[in-house]
Amino acid sequence: MTSATPGPRPPASTAPAASAPDGPRPLPRLIATDLDGTLLRDDKTVSDRTVAALAAAEEAGIEVFFVTGRPARWMDVVSAHVHGHGLAICGNGAAVVDLHGGPGTHSFVKIRELARERALDVVRRLRVAAPGTSFAIERTGGLHHEETYPPLHMEPGESVAPAEKLLAETLADSAVAEQPVLKVLAFHPGLAPDDFLVLARAAIGDRATVTRSSPSALLEISGPGVSKASTLELCCAERGITPAEVVAFGDMPNDIEMLAWAGTSYAMGNAHPDVIAAASGHTVANNDDGVAVVIERILADRRAAEVRRAAERSDSEGHDSEGRGSERRDSEGRGSEG
């Protein structure tokens, strides 16, 4: 979820605790977690329990990636909890960002932009398919929106104008014109969120990726093939990490592809029904530290496995020692008979 405006939440799961997929699971090399509605509590904080779980995972050698619909400038809430590589996937996969500089600083490592012509095509198609839609344009340097676009976000827009003008090839502010477009945001005041998503996907087709993470009828539109899943796949490939070695967490439709791609995935107790259907496991709600619950169990399973392996080695060495002792006794016995 990326909207700063409260709205109705999906019904919480009635499950009392986390449920894991059946069968043996390899120890993960990477944890990929959404932020709003997943890692963060509803008050947009990271609990002490979750902070400790993230640190313990990194200490155990498991990489943690924050994978969010948020723009890079909204990442201060977790920048203090980034370890090791310091990278986060932002804008639903449109950018990979280095957060090593701490709150207030970031640098773009990878950008997967939405071409200006495609963005204009998206706007034209939605104006026809869903009259009354208002738009905002998310660039690497900030948000720009139409006058009728509601104040859904954490800051005012950098500029206000019709979307066609905000996407014009020549802008009065040349510095803005040079900034890549990460996504188009589309809001409709009358449609139900899921209905708007279905309508927009039918209108746009494969010309762009359309998803949503807000409880309101706010769509997030990225370049074709750009998603949390596809950018996470790129980052994992660079590290030699396979899907089977990834555990992912999410709560809203923009997480579905990532949860389906990861070898093991968890829907939060407060997740959208489609997310619950896509995930291989489930955990408790974000306000109950559902991500931490699973990480703690993963690490406990790892410690238990290490104890078992140590015991098996000890037993094996003991049997070998007993065998060598028996062989010596037999040899000594045969010598005395001669």
Side-chain angles (χ1 to χ4, degrees):
M1 189 185 308
T2 56
S3 170
T5 304
R9 296 181 61 79
S13 168
T14 57
S19 170
D22 294 332
R25 303 181 307 281
L27 293 173
R29 292 179 58 194
L30 187 143
I31 290 169
T33 179
D34 172 52
L35 295 183
D36 298 275
T38 301
L39 189 80
L40 303 181
R41 290 185 168 183
D42 286 350
D43 63 2
K44 306 304 179 186
T45 63
V46 186
S47 73
D48 291 342
R49 181 180 183 182
T50 297
V51 169
L54 294 174
E58 293 278 2
E59 180 72 19
I62 303 172
E63 292 192 65
V64 176
F65 261 78
F66 300 130
V67 188
T68 178
R70 287 182 172 224
R73 63 186 179 280
W74 290 5
M75 295 299 289
D76 286 0
V77 67
V78 292
S79 61
H81 311 302
V82 172
H83 304 274
H85 57 78
L87 300 180
I89 296 172
C90 297
N92 291 329
V96 179
V97 180
D98 188 342
L99 303 177
H100 268 133
T105 63
H106 63 265
S107 59
F108 289 98
V109 175
K110 185 190 302 289
I111 294 173
R112 304 180 70 193
E113 67 180 292
L114 173 61
R116 187 186 64 82
E117 295 80 6
R118 285 187 181 270
L120 282 168
D121 188 36
V122 162
V123 170
R124 284 193 293 266
R125 288 174 180 276
L126 284 183
R127 288 212 194 279
V128 172
T133 300
S134 57
F135 296 93
I137 311 301
E138 180 70 51
R139 293 182 181 266
T140 52
L143 184 74
H144 310 262
H145 62 79
E146 296 187 321
E147 186 174 4
T148 54
Y149 186 83
L152 296 171
H153 305 286
M154 298 179 181
E155 80 268 277
E158 297 283 335
S159 57
V160 179
E164 290 82 357
K165 184 174 181 180
L166 295 173
L167 290 166
E169 192 168 5
T170 57
L171 290 173
D173 189 338
S174 59
V176 171
E178 293 174 358
Q179 296 171 2
V181 174
L182 299 180
K183 60 183 177 180
V184 169
L185 299 159
F187 175 81
H188 199 282
L191 291 172
D194 286 335
D195 292 344
F196 190 25
L197 178 61
V198 171
L199 183 154
R201 284 177 169 171
I204 294 170
D206 61 1
R207 298 170 182 84
T209 300
V210 186
T211 190
R212 77 176 191 87
S213 63
S214 170
S216 63
L218 176 67
L219 304 184
E220 302 162 59
I221 305 166
S222 306
V226 176
S227 68
K228 289 185 176 186
S230 62
T231 301
L232 177 62
E233 182 177 11
L234 291 173
C235 291
C236 286
E238 292 170 355
R239 290 160 173 75
I241 296 174
T242 66
E245 297 171 307
V246 177
V247 175
F249 299 86
D251 74 308
M252 288 297 279
N254 64 331
D255 297 313
I256 288 174
E257 293 89 351
M258 177 175 73
L259 298 180
W261 177 82
T264 303
S265 58
Y266 291 88
M268 307 303 293
N270 50 287
H272 186 284
D274 291 348
V275 176
I276 294 172
S280 58
H282 70 264
T283 185
V284 295
N286 61 318
N287 283 336
D288 297 319
D289 301 327
V291 173
V293 168
V294 174
I295 292 176
E296 289 166 357
R297 189 178 63 200
I298 288 171
L299 297 180
D301 288 348
R302 171 175 282 190
R303 288 191 294 270
E306 290 171 349
V307 169
R308 285 195 300 272
R309 285 194 295 270
E312 290 167 359
R313 284 195 300 269
S314 178
D315 289 345
S316 176
E317 291 168 358
H319 291 319
D320 289 346
S321 177
E322 289 176 6
R324 288 192 296 271
S326 176
E327 289 173 0
R328 284 196 299 272
R329 287 192 296 274
D330 290 347
S331 176
E332 290 170 357
R334 286 194 297 271
S336 62
E337 290 174 2

